[in-house]
Amino acid sequence: MTVLSKRVSEIAPSATLAIDTRVKELIQNGEDIINLSVGEPDTDTPMKASYMAIEGISKGFTKYTNSSGIIELRKRLSQKFKEDNNLDYDPDQIIVSVGGKHSLYNIFMTLCNPGDEVILPAPFWVSYSEQIKLADAVPVIISTDESTDFKVTPAVLESYITNKTKLLVLNSPSNPTGTAYTKEEIVALAGVLEKHDNVYVISDEIYEKLIYDGEHYSIANVSERMKERTLIVNGFSKTFGMTGWRLGYTAGAKEIIKGIANFQSHVTSNVTSVAQLAAIGALNDYDHTQKEMFRQRLEYVYGRVSQMPYLRCVKPQGAFYVFPNVEQTFGRSYKGTKIESSEDFCRLLLDHHKVGIVSGVAFGSPNNVRISYALNLTRLEEAMNRLDAFLAELE
C-alpha cells in the first residue's frame, strides 16, 4: 500500500520541468545540448529590480509582510492595470503570490468544489489539468487543432457549458501554441459567457507583452459584468525574465480575492519580502526592445520549421514557442528505431542530435511538439540545423 495520498498519486509530474532537468544533467556531464524545452527567457532581471532587492536586504526588509503582498507593490500593480490594460482595480482587489503557477492553484482551490467542471481548451499548459484535479474538480477538455489556429469558437464553447461548469481557463497568448485571440474573438466568447452567470473565467495573461501580431485584449475589458467574473493572472517570469524570483499576481472581484488571501495565508504566509521590492523595481524598468528581439527569433524559427520536411506549423502570434505537428514522422525510422509518437521524436532528437524539446502529449496535443525560441539567434540557428539534419536522416 502506498503511503502517498490519492491526490498526489494521481497527478502527473511536470513534463516541461522533467525534460529540462534531464537536459541540464546532460549539460553537466559535458554534452553540448541546446535546450529548447523550457519556457524561460534568456533576458536578465531588470537592474532596478535587483537594486531594490539588494537595498531591501541591506536595510533589513527581511521579515513577514502582509500575506497578500506589500501595499506599495499592490498600488503599483493597480497603476499597471490602469496604464497597460485600461482596467481599474483597487489594491485590495489584487493579491501577490509565489509565481503565476501559485496564483492559478490558489484560484482553483478557492473557487472549485468537488465535481465542479473546469473548461480547458487544448493544447494547454501542463499544470492546468493537474491543478484542477488537485482541487477535486473535473477538467473538461475542448480539443482544438491547426484548422482553427488552436482557438475555441463561441459555438463550441457553448456546447461544453453545463450546470456543473465553474470556470473557463483562457490563456492568450497561449503556452504552448503562441496563439493569441483577437479583440473580436474575445468579445464573441464573452457573448456566450455572459449568458451563464455560474461560469467564471481565469484569464492567464502572463505573455501579454509578447504579442507580435495585433494588441493584447483582456476579456475583463469586454464589460463590467465580465470583469466581475474574471480573474486575471499574471507574473514577472516571462515579461521580466525573473523566473527564479517566483512572483505572480491575481486581480479580480474583492470577495474572491479575499477568499484567495485567506487560503494563501495558510499556505505561504507571504511572498518573499525582498522579491516584492524587486517586483516594484521591475515594473519601473521594462525593456521595450525585447519584444522586437523575440519577434526576430519567431520569424527565424518559424521560417526554418515551416520549410522542414514532415512538419507543419501554424504561425504563432505571441509568447515564445512554436508548436509544429510531427505526425508525418510517425511510422518512419531513425537508424533502425521506429518513431511511433511525439515522445519518440523528442527522445531521438535529444539522444542523437542534442536538442531538447517537449512532446505535446502533456499539453493535450499528442501529435505536436513544443519548441521554445527563448535563446539567442546563434544557438537557435544551430538548433534548427540539428533538427533539419535529424529529419533528413529519417527513413
Side-chain angles (χ1 to χ4, degrees), residues 2-250:
T2 180
V3 70
L4 299 179
S5 68
K6 183 174 182 290
R7 70 173 63 86
V8 169
S9 298
E10 292 180 351
I11 63 173
S14 170
T16 53
L17 293 182
I19 192 166
D20 182 56
T21 299
R22 186 182 174 215
V23 164
K24 287 176 179 175
E25 287 174 351
L26 291 171
I27 292 172
Q28 288 176 350
N29 291 333
E31 300 265 15
D32 178 24
I33 308 293
I34 303 177
N35 189 5
L36 306 183
S37 69
V38 69
E40 183 171 42
D42 60 338
T43 52
D44 293 327
T45 294
M47 290 304 297
K48 287 183 180 179
S50 297
Y51 286 147
M52 285 198 71
I54 292 167
E55 183 180 27
I57 293 171
S58 68
K59 291 183 176 180
F61 189 72
T62 55
K63 307 298 184 183
Y64 291 130
T65 74
N66 185 309
S67 62
S68 295
I70 58 176
I71 188 63
E72 295 85 354
L73 175 53
R74 287 184 287 129
K75 284 182 176 179
R76 182 63 183 85
L77 287 168
S78 176
Q79 178 186 344
K80 179 266 177 210
F81 276 112
K82 182 63 178 176
E83 293 175 350
D84 292 357
N85 309 106
N86 195 29
L87 290 167
D88 290 314
Y89 288 106
D90 293 332
D92 58 0
Q93 292 181 280
I94 300 170
I95 182 169
V96 183
S97 302
V98 188
K101 184 178 291 189
H102 182 214
S103 300
L104 291 160
Y105 182 67
N106 282 344
I107 297 171
F108 292 127
M109 292 298 291
T110 300
L111 290 188
C112 291
N113 290 307
D116 282 347
E117 295 179 350
V118 180
I119 295 176
L120 183 59
F124 48 76
W125 178 54
V126 297
S127 291
Y128 290 143
S129 58
E130 304 309 311
Q131 290 189 355
I132 292 166
K133 289 184 281 188
L134 282 169
D136 289 328
V138 180
V140 177
I141 310 300
I142 300 180
S143 295
T144 68
D145 57 26
E146 291 85 359
S147 66
T148 61
D149 287 347
F150 298 110
K151 295 179 181 180
V152 173
T153 64
V156 170
L157 175 60
E158 179 73 67
S159 71
Y160 276 81
I161 295 175
T162 72
N163 58 6
K164 293 183 179 181
T165 305
K166 188 64 173 283
L167 283 164
L168 163 69
V169 178
L170 188 63
N171 178 209
S172 177
S174 162
N175 174 8
T177 66
T179 289
Y181 286 84
T182 66
K183 176 180 178 179
E184 293 73 21
E185 289 166 339
I186 290 287
V187 170
L189 292 176
V192 172
L193 295 166
E194 287 182 325
K195 297 184 291 184
H196 300 275
D197 291 335
N198 59 309
V199 182
Y200 290 77
V201 181
I202 294 176
S203 185
D204 185 344
E205 303 180 10
I206 200 162
Y207 295 96
E208 65 163 345
K209 295 287 190 183
L210 297 176
I211 294 183
Y212 315 110
D213 182 15
E215 298 293 329
H216 174 72
Y217 184 78
S218 174
I219 196 166
N221 287 109
V222 173
S223 66
E224 191 61 31
R225 191 175 174 192
M226 280 309 308
K227 183 186 172 193
E228 282 297 305
R229 291 177 17 226
T230 297
L231 291 149
I232 296 178
V233 172
N234 209 323
F236 292 79
S237 292
K238 315 303 179 181
T239 300
F240 298 102
M242 296 173 67
T243 51
W245 291 87
R246 308 313 303 134
L247 287 160
Y249 55 94
T250 303

Side-chain angles (χ1 to χ4, degrees), residues 310-332:
Y310 312 123
L311 307 186
R312 68 177 192 271
C313 188
V314 171
K315 187 175 184 180
Q317 296 90 45
F320 39 68
Y321 313 102
V322 294
F323 199 60
N325 187 302
V326 299
E327 187 178 11
Q328 291 182 33
T329 68
F330 299 171
R332 296 183 179 274

